[in-house]
């Protein structure tokens, strides 16, 4: 089942990193998960184990399989431990300078054949690749949250990404049970760009009080079959995260991604959605 790649490194053990690690280990890859401290990787491993326990309890996998998957995972706080990985998937915060520093370091320490993939949601793959001497082996591998559940993996190609790199990453995504879609290195790729169009318009409809937020959310769920309406989604994903994403698209693609003003007031007040107990809605 596996391609020639046998070992995967995951840099960053946050919300996305631990999910990607679990997917890689489940697909049978020896996987090394690295973050800045032992404490962070241990905590991420606890979440992975909890997910596996849940699958055992719901009879999706056996105890032995769960143990085998766990045993495929090595934890580390040293990026040097990724040096022999065939592929490294980076999932550190969405800050270009951070990613470029990380890629520059990975380029220096990883073996020459290692493919470096980034889980960036909308930064330029070519820009990240420019921090390395292996631009043909740098590629996007954009999972969606929660990575274990969402079927799609977008694979944005950098300007110099080789066909071989593309084939390897498509293959790994398939081995993880995902549906990969290859696209150009363009702002927001496919999903976030289309989604942002709707989300930005929702912030303007909020300012204009076109209808109540409950009714607009209901309209999108009943009229388009979406699982959540836009204001529910703002609260779920974090208003700060979504605003940063929309601002990035506005910088890249222009005023059509200009947010309404009401949402910025919420941000200034610290009402960021579910994580702060209040956003468009209030949570217990
Ligand atoms: P997060 O903040 O939950 O996790 C980031 C992790 O990276 C933290 O544990 C942090 O300690 C670690 N880190 C920071 N600098 C590091 C370094 N130099 N070396 C090693 N570890 C380092 O972030 P999250 O949400 O997992 O996002 C990661 C990436 O995935 C971002 O590029 C984001 O845009 C992307 N993404 C996020 C999604 C989401 O819904 N949260 C969905 C799809 C992509």
């Amino acid at each position: 089942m596996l391609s020639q790649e046998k070992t995967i490194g995951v840099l960053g053990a946050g919300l996305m990193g631990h999910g990607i690690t679990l997917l890689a280990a489940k697909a049978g890859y020896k996987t090394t998960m690295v973050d800045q401290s032992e404490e962070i990787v241990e905590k991420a491993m606890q979440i992975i184990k909890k997910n596996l326990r849940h699958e055992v309890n719901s009879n999706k996998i056996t105890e032995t399989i769960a143990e085998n998957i766990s045993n495929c995972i090595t934890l580390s706080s040293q990026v040097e431990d990724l040096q022999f990985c065939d592929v490294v998937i980076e999932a550190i915060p969405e800050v270009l300078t951070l990613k470029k520093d990380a890629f520059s370091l990975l380029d220096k320490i990883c073996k020459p054949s290692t493919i470096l993939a980034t889980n960036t949601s909308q930064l330029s793959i070519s820009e990240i690749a420019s921090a390395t001497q292996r631009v043909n082996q740098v590629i996007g591998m954009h999972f969606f949250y929660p990575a274990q559940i969402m079927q799609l993996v977008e694979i944005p190609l950098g300007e110099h990404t080789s066909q071989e790199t593309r084939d390897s990453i498509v293959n790994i995504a398939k081995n993880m049970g995902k549906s990969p879609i290859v696209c150009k290195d363009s702002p927001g790729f496919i999903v976030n760009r289309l989604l942002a169009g709707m989300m930005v318009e929702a912030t303007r409809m909020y300012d204009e009080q076109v209808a109540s937020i409950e009714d607009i959310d209901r309209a999108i769920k009943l009229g388009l079959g979406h699982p959540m309406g836009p204001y529910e989604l703002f609260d779920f994903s974090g208003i700060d995260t979504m605003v940063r994403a929309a601002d990035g698209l506005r910088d890249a693609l222009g005023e059509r991604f200009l947010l309404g003003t009401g949402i910025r007031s919420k941000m200034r007040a610290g009402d960021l959605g579910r994580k702060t107990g209040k956003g468009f809605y209030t949570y217990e």
Side-chain angles (χ1 to χ4, degrees):
M1 177 186 83
L2 293 182
S3 57
Q4 65 206 39
E5 286 77 26
K6 305 262 185 297
T7 54
I8 290 185
V10 178
L11 185 69
L15 207 58
M16 296 305 292
H18 73 72
I20 297 168
T21 299
L22 177 53
L23 285 171
K26 268 181 150 178
Y29 297 100
K30 291 258 171 242
T31 308
T32 303
M33 177 168 63
V34 173
D35 205 297
Q36 291 170 312
S37 73
E38 290 294 336
E39 203 185 334
I40 300 176
V41 282
E42 288 290 350
K43 207 168 135 206
M45 191 66 202
Q46 289 316 315
I47 301 173
I48 290 176
K49 285 191 171 155
K50 204 168 135 200
N51 280 325
L52 287 171
R53 167 96 353 244
H54 182 72
E55 291 195 40
V56 171
N57 290 343
S58 47
N59 293 322
K60 286 195 183 129
I61 55 173
T62 64
E63 194 86 47
T64 314
I65 291 176
E67 212 164 287
N68 289 342
I69 293 170
S70 270
N71 290 339
C72 278
I73 301 172
T74 306
L75 307 180
S76 171
S77 59
Q78 306 299 321
V79 69
E80 287 74 16
D81 286 335
L82 299 175
Q83 62 183 314
F84 299 118
C85 289
D86 297 315
V87 173
V88 175
I89 305 170
E90 165 275 314
I92 68 172
E94 189 78 342
V95 178
L96 184 61
T97 49
L98 275 185
K99 298 220 190 255
K100 285 180 87 168
D101 287 350
F103 271 69
S104 166
L105 181 60
L106 288 168
D107 185 39
K108 287 189 183 82
I109 63 174
C110 291
K111 61 181 179 174
S113 60
T114 303
I115 292 174
L116 303 178
T118 172
N119 185 44
T120 181
S121 304
Q122 61 183 44
L123 297 173
S124 161
I125 308 303
S126 302
E127 177 81 42
I128 294 171
S130 72
T132 75
Q133 303 295 318
R134 58 177 91 195
V135 288
N136 55 338
Q137 286 159 240
V138 177
I139 190 166
M141 192 173 193
H142 181 216
F143 293 83
F144 290 78
Y145 177 71
Q148 304 94 292
I149 293 169
M150 301 303 280
Q151 278 302 301
L152 177 66
V153 176
E154 282 177 339
I155 303 189
L157 306 177
E159 204 182 326
H160 301 289
T161 307
S162 68
Q163 184 68 38
E164 217 182 337
T165 301
R166 167 191 172 143
D167 292 346
S168 292
I169 294 299
V170 165
N171 196 31
I172 289 171
K174 285 184 182 162
N175 286 341
M176 289 175 170
K178 301 295 177 194
S179 295
I181 291 179
V182 174
C183 63
K184 237 167 86 170
D185 184 14
S186 59
F189 311 132
I190 301 169
V191 172
N192 285 345
R193 178 164 165 186
L194 285 174
L195 177 65
M198 182 182 81
M199 300 301 274
V200 164
E201 210 49 49
T203 66
R204 295 185 186 178
M205 289 169 78
Y206 175 74
D207 290 352
E208 291 166 26
Q209 301 183 358
V210 171
S212 69
I213 55 169
E214 289 85 356
D215 278 352
I216 296 176
D217 277 342
R218 223 150 50 87
I220 290 300
K221 288 187 281 188
L222 299 181
L224 293 178
H226 290 198
M228 279 185 226
Y231 309 105
E232 289 168 324
L233 186 55
F234 268 119
D235 282 1
F236 178 76
S237 302
I239 287 177
D240 51 339
T241 308
M242 301 291 271
V243 165
R244 257 200 306 276
D247 285 348
L249 286 171
R250 185 205 54 205
D251 292 346
L253 297 171
E255 295 302 292
R256 65 188 195 265
F257 287 101
L258 181 66
L259 287 162
T261 54
I263 192 163
R264 294 205 190 269
S265 310
K266 286 191 182 300
M267 222 171 111
R268 278 194 294 276
D271 296 336
L272 305 181
R274 283 178 180 270
K275 61 186 170 189
T276 59
K278 194 170 171 216
F280 282 98
Y281 295 94
T282 302
Y283 303 87
E284 288 299 313

